[in-house]
Amino acid sequence: MIAEGKRNMTAKSSGLEGIIVGDTAISTVGKEGLGLTYRGFDIHELAAKSTFEEVAFLLTYGNLPKSAELHAYREKLIKLRRIPNELKTVLELMPRSAHPMEVLRTGISMLGTLESESTHYKDHQIADRLIACTPSILLYWYRFHQFNEKIETWNSNEPTVAGYFLYLLHGEKPSDEMRRAVDVSLILYAEHELNASTFAARVTASTESDFYSAIVSAIGTLRGALHGGANEEAMRLISNYKTPEQAEKGVRELLAKKAKIMGFGHRVYKKSDPRSDIIKEWSKKLSANARDGYLYPVSEAIEKVLWDEKKLFPNLDFYSASAYHFCGIPTPLFTPIFVMSRLTGWSAHIFEQRGNNRLIRPEANYNGPGPRAFVPVDQRG
Ligand code: ACO
């Protein structure tokens, strides 16, 4: 990483825009002729033909699994779902008012003390463990504080991560349509090159810190509204409107006040986000059976205003919001689903960073005061 560092000593970029800081073999984002690919596979094909477990294996182990490998991987993830009692106690002690991203940040950090990298596990074992048990951590806390229930976290009724998450959330088998909708969304969220949270994970990994610390850095970074937190903000926005006309009027007013509309725009993509049309289709499909299916036309009206007024397009977060909502998922759990998925991309980047490490340490232009004489405290007046 930071291969270009020496050559670009004087280059400066606000928000590191356009700066290439190294090589990766994991994904391409918006590259001419490639678009979004995970290890060479186009995102449209993966979303149409694969499952999240195949994608998780592809990202963390480097290749699509053969049939027997996929079976063994699924079995392994099921066995790794159970969370330790000490962690359950911590989840019970956390406040009901905590944000679920705080719960994941702290829960995964706690797991790192119980199953620390140095004494228990190595790279891939930790990645597998976290992919398997993050829904357990999240929903143990959620069901305990919302319904005063202590759920079992070894359940194997639902073999996929998407099905397991929905099963733990609702306490019953999900419909095939909802299970597949969440599965596809996990595929879409899995990896996205050097987005802010992945970069944070790589910076932490580059100091030779432990795996859990790198993941916790990434979770804290993902939470912000400009990154993963945008899907929750998008839901809050669309929930304000009952009709497309109300939405159009309301969003025009927001734009007139120079407000940012969460779920729109992107640092790298300039014309469209290739993931958006895929999740939009799912949102439309799910809206047909939803009580508040009007939120889909409301979303389309907002999309049109943003395009007409600012030539801004929806990113993955915008239609993910209504798709999740139609699956009966509470809004504060949206960004944690992003974590459940992006753990795969973060893990792949931690492995890649460790495989060819150099400390990530850029420089800043100093624009503070010039040299000044120090005055002892008793003479400062
Ligand atoms: N709503 C309104 N205006 C916007 C939006 C938006 N969502 N996005 C960009 N703009 C405007 C900015 O106000 C700015 O206008 P100006 O030049 O008149 O000041 C211009 O477009 C450039 O925007 P920046 O914020 O400088 O673009 P940047 O590349 O830094 O930001 C970002 C990209 C953070 C994604 C931005 O588009 C944004 O804030 N979007 C909303 C948050 C969001 O949806 N984040 C999710 C990202 S994707 C993901 O995590 C899956």
Side-chain angles (χ1 to χ4, degrees):
M1 271 234 143
I2 316 285
E4 308 292 301
K6 288 270 188 285
R7 265 181 283 143
N8 290 328
M9 277 316 247
T10 54
K12 189 185 101 174
S13 161
S14 165
L16 292 179
E17 179 166 7
I19 301 286
I20 300 200
V21 296
D23 300 331
T24 183
I26 302 169
S27 64
T28 60
V29 171
K31 297 271 183 288
E32 190 72 33
L34 287 172
L36 175 58
T37 62
Y38 297 170
R39 299 202 185 275
F41 295 102
D42 187 88
I43 192 65
H44 293 91
E45 224 178 346
L46 291 171
K49 300 180 189 163
S50 78
T51 60
F52 174 64
E53 286 72 22
E54 284 173 86
V55 167
F57 191 98
L58 170 71
L59 290 171
T60 54
Y61 289 90
N63 281 306
L64 280 173
K66 298 195 176 91
S67 173
E69 285 172 326
L70 181 60
H71 181 74
Y73 181 61
R74 283 211 169 111
E75 289 296 306
K76 181 161 58 171
L77 292 185
I78 289 170
K79 289 203 180 80
L80 291 171
R81 285 175 178 173
R82 193 192 291 262
I83 57 173
N85 288 336
E86 297 90 329
L87 175 51
K88 287 182 182 170
T89 304
V90 168
L91 293 169
E92 288 170 22
L93 288 171
M94 280 182 206
R96 184 174 190 267
S97 60
H99 188 282
M101 286 296 279
E102 294 165 349
V103 173
L104 285 189
R105 190 189 62 210
T106 308
I108 288 178
S109 191
M110 174 68 185
L111 189 69
T113 68
L114 300 168
E115 302 175 1
S116 77
E117 182 164 23
S118 49
T119 53
H120 278 72
Y121 296 114
K122 286 275 162 246
D123 289 352
H124 280 92
Q125 289 165 306
I126 301 177
D128 293 345
R129 173 75 164 133
L130 291 177
I131 293 163
C133 81
T134 297
S136 312
I137 296 174
L138 179 67
L139 292 165
Y140 186 89
W141 170 83
Y142 181 77
R143 293 275 295 270
F144 179 82
H145 289 280
Q146 293 296 321
F147 304 109
N148 206 17
E149 295 166 350
K150 297 189 181 195
I151 57 167
E152 295 295 350
T153 55
W154 46 264
N155 178 288
S156 61
N157 293 350
E158 284 287 335
T160 66
V161 173
Y164 178 57
F165 166 78
L166 287 169
Y167 183 89
L168 289 188
L169 176 63
H170 295 132
E172 60 184 26
K173 250 186 152 17
S175 69
D176 291 346
E177 189 176 61
M178 286 185 189
R179 188 190 296 105
R180 180 59 183 155
V182 173
D183 193 52
V184 170
S185 101
L186 294 176
I187 293 171
L188 299 178
Y189 269 126
E191 160 59 13
H192 219 222
E193 200 221 42
L194 287 191
N195 57 87
S197 58
T198 301
F199 189 59
R202 285 192 83 133
V203 170
T204 304
S206 84
T207 69
E208 298 189 358
S209 185
D210 70 296
F211 203 98
Y212 295 93
S213 296
I215 296 291
V216 170
S217 302
I219 293 174
T221 309
L222 184 71
R223 181 184 178 182
L226 296 189
H227 193 5
N231 54 17
E232 296 180 26
E233 295 304 325
M235 189 65 224
R236 290 186 188 106
L237 175 77
I238 63 176
S239 306
N240 287 331
Y241 311 113
K242 290 265 182 300
T243 64
E245 294 71 29
Q246 275 181 13
E248 187 181 335
K249 182 167 175 290
V251 171
R252 280 191 199 284
E253 284 167 8
L254 287 173
L255 288 177
K257 286 188 227 150
K258 304 252 174 270
K260 264 206 167 170
I261 309 299
M262 298 306 170
F264 285 85
H266 200 270
R267 172 59 67 77
V268 180
Y269 300 127
K270 295 301 171 205
K271 292 188 183 131
S272 67
D273 178 336
R275 305 164 297 179
S276 175
D277 281 351
I278 304 172
I279 200 67
K280 182 178 174 180
E281 257 324 291
W282 275 101
S283 172
K284 185 178 184 184
K285 205 191 250 197
L286 292 159
S287 72
N289 295 320
R291 222 176 340 117
D292 42 10
Y294 62 84
L295 289 172
Y296 178 78
V298 159
S299 303
E300 276 195 314
I302 296 173
E303 179 184 356
K304 185 165 182 319
V305 174
L306 264 288
W307 184 255
D308 290 349
E309 292 291 317
K310 302 208 53 146
K311 293 290 167 276
L312 281 169
F313 51 86
N315 57 50
L316 173 59
D317 283 329
F318 187 65
Y319 281 100
S320 297
S322 48
Y324 288 158
H325 178 79
F326 296 144
C327 290
I329 300 169
T331 304
L333 301 188
F334 290 4
T335 318
I337 303 177
F338 197 155
V339 173
M340 283 163 38
S341 163
R342 188 57 64 81
L343 277 167
T344 57
W346 291 335
S347 300
H349 279 273
I350 295 168
F351 301 149
E352 189 171 69
Q353 184 66 37
R354 287 178 167 185
N356 183 20
N357 189 44
R358 187 153 189 241
L359 178 74
I360 299 175
R361 201 296 189 193
E363 292 177 38
N365 274 331
Y366 177 69
N367 63 0
R372 302 193 262 181
F374 179 81
V375 181
V377 67
D378 56 348
Q379 294 168 30
R380 272 177 227 156

